[in-house]
Amino acid sequence: MLPQPSSPLHWLRPFSSPAIAADVTTPAGASAPDKAAEVKPEEGTHKKQIGDDKFAILKILGEENIGCGLKTRAEKALNDTPADMHGFLTTGQYAGRDEDNRFAILRMLGMDKNVGPGVREAAKTALKGTPEDVRRFLEVGQYEAHAKDEAAEKEAKDKEKTAPGPAVTRTASRPPAIGRSRRTAAAAMPSRRPTSP
């Protein structure tokens, strides 16, 4: 027969304090925390990073106005290695967006026949510049240049209205006709004859 424990909480006695629990030795590889330590922390973070990168690429692919260049690069990165996906997110997406923005400017210049000289000049300057210059032109610059073109066009029309035309200038420079013939004077006057119904 086994000896009876003196207390109903006898099983707590060996671990009654943290100091006593630390003194207890366990064989290597027998405890659960030892087995969990075998998993490398880099593997968990690496898999999480791959999942985060895929999610970010899918989010880019879901954008409403995604351009062809960005879409092609995103799809290629999604089907490539994790390093390629990460490379796309750090640099490739910006190159794809710049490519699409430059294409949008070229399309605007080629397709729209109502593009004024100010917009054309601003677009050419943006295309020669950095990706930031291109983006700024599409967001703000084209509208500023268009407003300047409209103001210049309105000013030109106003000058045209106020400036004397060639016929006015020619008649104003002639001396007044003295002694017009009666026929010329009669032709200029309205007729007094009653018109028949």
Side-chain angles (χ1 to χ4, degrees), residues 12-25:
L12 285 178
R13 214 174 292 152
F15 301 104
S16 60
S17 74
I20 295 173
D23 288 337
V24 177
T25 58

PDB file of all heavy atoms in Angstrom, residues 12-25:
ATOM      1  N   LEU A  12       1.407  19.983  -5.113  1.00  0.00           N
ATOM      2  CA  LEU A  12       1.972  21.310  -5.278  1.00  0.00           C
ATOM      3  C   LEU A  12       3.279  21.492  -4.521  1.00  0.00           C
ATOM      4  O   LEU A  12       3.995  22.419  -4.776  1.00  0.00           O
ATOM      5  CB  LEU A  12       0.984  22.383  -4.791  1.00  0.00           C
ATOM      6  CG  LEU A  12      -0.189  22.662  -5.711  1.00  0.00           C
ATOM      7  CD1 LEU A  12      -1.092  23.709  -5.073  1.00  0.00           C
ATOM      8  CD2 LEU A  12       0.259  23.155  -7.052  1.00  0.00           C
ATOM      9  N   ARG A  13       3.540  20.630  -3.616  1.00  0.00           N
ATOM     10  CA  ARG A  13       4.692  20.798  -2.765  1.00  0.00           C
ATOM     11  C   ARG A  13       6.014  20.930  -3.518  1.00  0.00           C
ATOM     12  O   ARG A  13       6.795  21.819  -3.219  1.00  0.00           O
ATOM     13  CB  ARG A  13       4.756  19.637  -1.765  1.00  0.00           C
ATOM     14  CG  ARG A  13       5.311  20.101  -0.475  1.00  0.00           C
ATOM     15  CD  ARG A  13       5.255  19.049   0.570  1.00  0.00           C
ATOM     16  NE  ARG A  13       3.857  18.806   0.922  1.00  0.00           N
ATOM     17  CZ  ARG A  13       3.402  17.672   1.376  1.00  0.00           C
ATOM     18  NH1 ARG A  13       4.229  16.667   1.545  1.00  0.00           N
ATOM     19  NH2 ARG A  13       2.162  17.507   1.676  1.00  0.00           N
ATOM     20  N   PRO A  14       6.345  20.134  -4.491  1.00  0.00           N
ATOM     21  CA  PRO A  14       7.644  20.308  -5.139  1.00  0.00           C
ATOM     22  C   PRO A  14       7.771  21.649  -5.852  1.00  0.00           C
ATOM     23  O   PRO A  14       8.861  22.150  -6.034  1.00  0.00           O
ATOM     24  CB  PRO A  14       7.717  19.180  -6.136  1.00  0.00           C
ATOM     25  CG  PRO A  14       6.704  18.203  -5.734  1.00  0.00           C
ATOM     26  CD  PRO A  14       5.692  18.932  -4.938  1.00  0.00           C
ATOM     27  N   PHE A  15       6.665  22.260  -6.295  1.00  0.00           N
ATOM     28  CA  PHE A  15       6.716  23.528  -7.014  1.00  0.00           C
ATOM     29  C   PHE A  15       6.059  24.646  -6.200  1.00  0.00           C
ATOM     30  O   PHE A  15       5.398  25.482  -6.733  1.00  0.00           O
ATOM     31  CB  PHE A  15       5.989  23.402  -8.370  1.00  0.00           C
ATOM     32  CG  PHE A  15       6.588  22.346  -9.242  1.00  0.00           C
ATOM     33  CD1 PHE A  15       5.962  21.139  -9.386  1.00  0.00           C
ATOM     34  CD2 PHE A  15       7.774  22.564  -9.902  1.00  0.00           C
ATOM     35  CE1 PHE A  15       6.511  20.164 -10.186  1.00  0.00           C
ATOM     36  CE2 PHE A  15       8.323  21.593 -10.710  1.00  0.00           C
ATOM     37  CZ  PHE A  15       7.700  20.382 -10.850  1.00  0.00           C
ATOM     38  N   SER A  16       6.279  24.680  -4.944  1.00  0.00           N
ATOM     39  CA  SER A  16       5.604  25.648  -4.104  1.00  0.00           C
ATOM     40  C   SER A  16       6.101  27.075  -4.328  1.00  0.00           C
ATOM     41  O   SER A  16       5.411  28.013  -4.039  1.00  0.00           O
ATOM     42  CB  SER A  16       5.739  25.271  -2.637  1.00  0.00           C
ATOM     43  OG  SER A  16       7.114  25.240  -2.294  1.00  0.00           O
ATOM     44  N   SER A  17       7.283  27.246  -4.859  1.00  0.00           N
ATOM     45  CA  SER A  17       7.777  28.584  -5.150  1.00  0.00           C
ATOM     46  C   SER A  17       8.572  28.547  -6.452  1.00  0.00           C
ATOM     47  O   SER A  17       9.068  27.495  -6.840  1.00  0.00           O
ATOM     48  CB  SER A  17       8.655  29.091  -4.003  1.00  0.00           C
ATOM     49  OG  SER A  17       9.905  28.442  -4.030  1.00  0.00           O
ATOM     50  N   PRO A  18       8.733  29.676  -7.112  1.00  0.00           N
ATOM     51  CA  PRO A  18       9.490  29.688  -8.362  1.00  0.00           C
ATOM     52  C   PRO A  18      10.935  29.243  -8.156  1.00  0.00           C
ATOM     53  O   PRO A  18      11.519  28.643  -9.044  1.00  0.00           O
ATOM     54  CB  PRO A  18       9.436  31.137  -8.818  1.00  0.00           C
ATOM     55  CG  PRO A  18       8.275  31.729  -8.113  1.00  0.00           C
ATOM     56  CD  PRO A  18       8.086  30.948  -6.860  1.00  0.00           C
ATOM     57  N   ALA A  19      11.487  29.513  -7.034  1.00  0.00           N
ATOM     58  CA  ALA A  19      12.874  29.106  -6.796  1.00  0.00           C
ATOM     59  C   ALA A  19      12.994  27.600  -6.751  1.00  0.00           C
ATOM     60  O   ALA A  19      13.943  27.028  -7.268  1.00  0.00           O
ATOM     61  CB  ALA A  19      13.379  29.723  -5.496  1.00  0.00           C
ATOM     62  N   ILE A  20      12.025  26.939  -6.157  1.00  0.00           N
ATOM     63  CA  ILE A  20      12.057  25.481  -6.096  1.00  0.00           C
ATOM     64  C   ILE A  20      11.800  24.907  -7.477  1.00  0.00           C
ATOM     65  O   ILE A  20      12.428  23.947  -7.894  1.00  0.00           O
ATOM     66  CB  ILE A  20      11.025  24.956  -5.078  1.00  0.00           C
ATOM     67  CG1 ILE A  20      11.419  25.426  -3.682  1.00  0.00           C
ATOM     68  CG2 ILE A  20      10.915  23.451  -5.137  1.00  0.00           C
ATOM     69  CD1 ILE A  20      10.399  25.115  -2.620  1.00  0.00           C
ATOM     70  N   ALA A  21      10.890  25.501  -8.242  1.00  0.00           N
ATOM     71  CA  ALA A  21      10.597  25.008  -9.586  1.00  0.00           C
ATOM     72  C   ALA A  21      11.807  25.129 -10.487  1.00  0.00           C
ATOM     73  O   ALA A  21      12.045  24.284 -11.335  1.00  0.00           O
ATOM     74  CB  ALA A  21       9.430  25.786 -10.184  1.00  0.00           C
ATOM     75  N   ALA A  22      12.619  26.140 -10.305  1.00  0.00           N
ATOM     76  CA  ALA A  22      13.813  26.307 -11.118  1.00  0.00           C
ATOM     77  C   ALA A  22      14.878  25.292 -10.774  1.00  0.00           C
ATOM     78  O   ALA A  22      15.705  24.953 -11.603  1.00  0.00           O
ATOM     79  CB  ALA A  22      14.370  27.715 -10.937  1.00  0.00           C
ATOM     80  N   ASP A  23      14.855  24.765  -9.541  1.00  0.00           N
ATOM     81  CA  ASP A  23      15.852  23.778  -9.139  1.00  0.00           C
ATOM     82  C   ASP A  23      15.576  22.407  -9.707  1.00  0.00           C
ATOM     83  O   ASP A  23      16.463  21.566  -9.757  1.00  0.00           O
ATOM     84  CB  ASP A  23      15.906  23.682  -7.610  1.00  0.00           C
ATOM     85  CG  ASP A  23      16.559  24.917  -7.011  1.00  0.00           C
ATOM     86  OD1 ASP A  23      17.311  25.578  -7.745  1.00  0.00           O
ATOM     87  OD2 ASP A  23      16.294  25.201  -5.826  1.00  0.00           O
ATOM     88  N   VAL A  24      14.352  22.161 -10.159  1.00  0.00           N
ATOM     89  CA  VAL A  24      13.998  20.856 -10.672  1.00  0.00           C
ATOM     90  C   VAL A  24      14.632  20.701 -12.046  1.00  0.00           C
ATOM     91  O   VAL A  24      14.499  21.554 -12.916  1.00  0.00           O
ATOM     92  CB  VAL A  24      12.467  20.706 -10.755  1.00  0.00           C
ATOM     93  CG1 VAL A  24      12.094  19.375 -11.366  1.00  0.00           C
ATOM     94  CG2 VAL A  24      11.836  20.888  -9.406  1.00  0.00           C
ATOM     95  N   THR A  25      15.329  19.610 -12.265  1.00  0.00           N
ATOM     96  CA  THR A  25      15.960  19.362 -13.562  1.00  0.00           C
ATOM     97  C   THR A  25      15.099  18.407 -14.362  1.00  0.00           C
ATOM     98  O   THR A  25      14.532  17.466 -13.836  1.00  0.00           O
ATOM     99  CB  THR A  25      17.367  18.765 -13.373  1.00  0.00           C
ATOM    100  OG1 THR A  25      17.252  17.575 -12.629  1.00  0.00           O
ATOM    101  CG2 THR A  25      18.269  19.762 -12.701  1.00  0.00           C
TER     102      THR A  25
END
